[in-house]
Amino acid sequence: MDPCPFVRLSVCNLALKIPVASKPASSVVHPSSSPCFCKIKLKNFPLQTAVVPCILPESQFPDGQVQSHVASFHLNKSDLEKLVAKSLFGGGKLYLKISMYTGRRGSTCGVNSGRLLGKVDVPLDLAGTESRSVLFHNGWIVIGKEAKNSSAQFHLSVKAEPDPRFVFQFDGEPECSPQVFQIQGNIRQPVFTCKFSFRTTGDRNQRSRSLPLEHSSRGWLSSFGSERERTGKERKGWSITVHDLSGSPVAAASMVTPFVASPGSDRVSRSNPGSWLILRPGDGTWKPWGKLEAWRERGSADGLGYRFELIPDSAAAGIVLAESKLSINKGGKFVIDLGTSVSTNGKSTPGNSTSPACSPRGSGDFGYRLWPYCMYRGFVMSANVEGEGGGSKCSKPTVEVSVQHVTCTEDAAAFVALSAAIDLSIDACRLFSQKLRKELCPSQDLLS
């Protein structure tokens, strides 16, 4: 499998020094206990925001501390070609634009909060960055219009690194048992097939050629709640098995906790989410690799909340790799990115992921001590998700997986199964007052 070229443009090591004014003056920047933040903009990409820590004027940076990336832009080959062409033939250089503010992020009554301290433009030359790393800036920049000894100073690092990825695309809705193609430029090559089916109390038959899901993994499924019966409105028993081209099953996603309407409502709540178990084959049986929980968030715009945990063989607790939400109406991107924690437009918006730094759930003291059990670093994967508002538009998830996290066919298949589960969760979290498409309803009409 040949990967596609990608470049990760990263912003990290942010810090702010605010000088102490000898006398009050409205034109001088004064130290403040209120938070500081910056808005980061790259041409034609969504605006990102990040908190900026303030340090004492006499302090050095990084002063022994290590910071993770606070913002990242992921550029595919088409993005690179457009940005490079713009800088070469568009009559001007390409810049990463950063605006610094004091105060809290967000807006009130349509008016943006925060007071502008200054702006920084970092020139970029992205030519060739798909094959080599480039450091565009690392150090302090004076911001504001005052004299140097009374102006704020802003520290940042900006770099571009090659980040090749495998790209896969479903040829149809996951519930329609589609083929999955690998995309490499204009080439589409079939690599997997998917089989959607139901597991119900009365029907234990699984239509895989080998490693029957129900029989080989019944102990695991039971321990994660697959046998628990619930009353009332529920959607249960969905599963999807990923096969390689020889017909051998290489990954699976099985709904182990039913998606149930909360009492007195027709929605799946955060307090009682449904869940999927992502399985990989091993030693002639299925073994759990990860667990995905999903629910329907309340608010002015309904969101699909999700949490994905890695299940290491030797760890007592699951390791949370991603926890965020995306728009149920518009869809968005499910992302596992362990190198950054940012927000878009100053708030948690659909498609934005704030992934914890691979810490075990309920065991925050462990952190990176769990390595190598948690082998994932930096960008791991992303999958686009079609929302309910797509109308008649067919959902064909596209999955990107970092090359560094794929060492065998089963690795890639596990991420494909995970992307199918998050896509199917949009339907599983559909309001129970709404009908599902026929492919998601067994003949016995258990899902009504």
Side-chain angles (χ1 to χ4, degrees), residues 174-175 235 238 255 259 268 274-276 292-296 303-306 326 328 385-386 388 418-431 436 440:
E175 61 268 29
R235 292 165 182 148
W238 302 358
M255 187 185 288
F259 285 70
V268 180
S275 69
W276 300 80
L292 173 70
E293 294 181 332
W295 59 89
R296 192 175 182 113
L304 179 78
Y306 62 81
L326 52 84
I328 280 187
V385 181
E386 185 71 32
E388 293 178 349
L418 174 58
S419 66
I422 193 70
D423 188 90
L424 288 166
S425 293
I426 289 283
D427 292 296
C429 288
R430 188 180 290 270
L431 296 175
L436 296 179
L440 293 168

Side-chain angles (χ1 to χ4, degrees), residues 67-82:
Q67 284 193 348
S68 62
H69 297 148
V70 296
S72 292
F73 298 89
H74 305 281
L75 316 177
N76 60 28
K77 185 177 181 180
S78 177
D79 295 328
L80 286 171
E81 290 175 346
K82 291 178 182 178

Side-chain angles (χ1 to χ4, degrees), residues 168-391:
F168 305 97
Q169 186 176 46
F170 288 71
D171 196 35
E173 306 268 1
E175 61 268 29
C176 296
S177 300
Q179 278 191 309
V180 178
F181 290 84
Q182 184 187 353
I183 309 299
Q184 218 284 329
N186 295 323
I187 301 173
R188 287 167 51 89
Q189 179 181 0
V191 288
F192 300 117
T193 59
C194 295
K195 190 65 175 179
F196 179 82
S197 58
F198 298 96
R199 288 184 305 102
T200 67
T201 303
D203 180 10
R204 296 299 185 183
N205 295 324
Q206 189 69 24
R207 291 170 281 180
S208 302
R209 296 191 184 184
S210 60
L211 281 177
L213 182 63
E214 181 61 27
H215 292 96
S216 65
S217 60
R218 186 160 183 174
W220 282 111
L221 295 176
S222 298
S223 66
F224 282 91
S226 65
E227 301 296 327
R228 182 171 51 188
E229 295 298 327
R230 302 191 181 189
T231 59
K233 301 175 182 178
E234 61 180 19
R235 292 165 182 148
K236 64 179 181 179
W238 302 358
S239 65
I240 189 163
T241 307
V242 181
H243 301 82
D244 62 19
L245 294 183
S246 71
S248 299
V250 285
S254 179
M255 187 185 288
V256 292
T257 304
F259 285 70
V260 181
S262 296
S265 77
D266 62 350
R267 66 173 62 222
V268 180
S269 68
R270 183 188 184 100
S271 61
N272 192 22
S275 69
W276 300 80
L277 199 60
I278 313 301
L279 302 153
R280 295 181 53 163
D283 300 326
T285 185
W286 289 107
K287 292 188 175 180
W289 171 70
K291 182 182 180 183
L292 173 70
E293 294 181 332
W295 59 89
R296 192 175 182 113
E297 295 273 12
R298 289 186 176 274
S300 55
D302 280 355
L304 179 78
Y306 62 81
R307 180 189 299 108
F308 176 69
E309 297 180 2
L310 191 70
I311 305 176
D313 291 337
S314 304
I319 301 169
V320 179
L321 296 191
E323 184 171 5
S324 189
K325 69 176 181 178
L326 52 84
S327 170
I328 280 187
N329 183 51
K330 298 180 180 179
K333 273 197 173 185
F334 169 84
V335 181
I336 302 176
D337 189 344
L338 304 178
T340 182
S341 179
V342 300
S343 61
T344 306
N345 295 326
K347 56 185 178 180
S348 180
T349 54
N352 175 53
S353 174
T354 52
S355 301
C358 200
S359 59
R361 185 178 180 185
S363 303
D365 293 338
F366 290 175
Y368 285 101
R369 295 180 193 173
L370 281 175
W371 300 103
Y373 303 119
C374 182
M375 70 293 293
Y376 301 106
R377 295 179 183 270
F379 172 83
V380 179
M381 65 91 69
S382 70
N384 69 305
V385 181
E386 185 71 32
E388 293 178 349

Side-chain angles (χ1 to χ4, degrees), residues 43-67:
K43 188 175 183 68
N44 297 329
F45 282 82
L47 181 73
Q48 298 186 26
T49 66
V51 174
V52 181
C54 292
I55 64 175
L56 296 175
E58 61 272 15
S59 300
Q60 299 298 314
F61 190 85
D63 197 23
Q65 59 182 306
V66 178
Q67 284 193 348

Side-chain angles (χ1 to χ4, degrees), residues 15-18 36 52-55 100 117 140 143 152-154:
L16 183 67
K17 289 182 181 180
I18 300 180
C36 297
V52 181
C54 292
I55 64 175
M100 289 292 308
L117 285 178
W140 293 97
I143 61 175
Q153 297 183 62
F154 178 49

